[in-house]
Amino acid sequence: MNFLPLKHYYRSLAVALIVPLLVAFFLCLHLYNLKLERVIESRQNGFNNITAQLSHAMNAADGLIDTMFKLYEQPLSYDFDPSWTRNVNQYDHYYYQSVGDGVGGDSRARKVCLNGLCN
């Protein structure tokens, strides 16, 4: 007795097992690829954040160093209030400035020595 459906039983069983296994294998590869792309993207974003922070810090340090060099190259200059130099008698190595009429009962003067030279 030759039963026709059993003739191709092993071949159909093999196809029924191999096709789902291949589909599952390719699905696993696809999911692994998606997971790998997400990890790579998150690492790339992390490196971009670190690069931006370093760039910001380096720009700040560069600006600070440029400002320091510019200030170092400029000569020292002071802006005095013109009222400070009123009533000042300047001599070779010192100058006198009166303190005021109502201070101490009489007109007093303050002697300031320049360059450590006083007479």
Side-chain angles (χ1 to χ4, degrees):
M1 189 162 162
N2 195 0
F3 188 62
L4 214 51
L6 291 178
K7 186 176 182 180
H8 303 288
Y9 177 73
Y10 293 112
R11 187 172 36 171
S12 63
L13 184 63
V15 169
L17 289 175
I18 290 175
V19 169
L21 287 175
L22 285 175
V23 170
F25 177 73
F26 286 120
L27 182 63
C28 287
L29 283 179
H30 178 68
L31 293 175
Y32 180 74
N33 188 23
L34 290 176
K35 184 178 179 180
L36 190 63
E37 285 178 359
R38 286 182 187 164
V39 168
I40 290 173
E41 184 179 344
S42 69
R43 294 277 174 104
Q44 189 69 30
N45 289 337
F47 283 124
N48 288 340
N49 289 339
I50 290 172
T51 302
Q53 291 175 3
L54 285 175
S55 174
H56 180 70
M58 292 302 290
N59 286 338
D62 186 46
L64 176 66
I65 291 171
D66 285 345
T67 303
M68 288 173 55
F69 279 128
K70 286 178 185 175
L71 290 176
Y72 180 72
E73 291 173 357
Q74 291 178 352
L76 293 177
S77 63
Y78 301 101
D79 294 329
F80 291 109
D81 187 10
S83 65
W84 291 359
T85 58
R86 206 172 327 137
N87 300 327
V88 173
N89 299 323
Q90 186 173 1
Y91 299 104
D92 287 339
H93 297 294
Y94 60 92
Y95 65 87
Y96 283 105
Q97 181 181 16
S98 63
V99 176
D101 290 334
V103 178
D106 62 340
S107 176
R108 298 189 183 265
R110 178 172 48 173
K111 182 179 180 181
V112 177
C113 302
L114 300 176
N115 298 329
L117 302 172
C118 293
N119 291 338

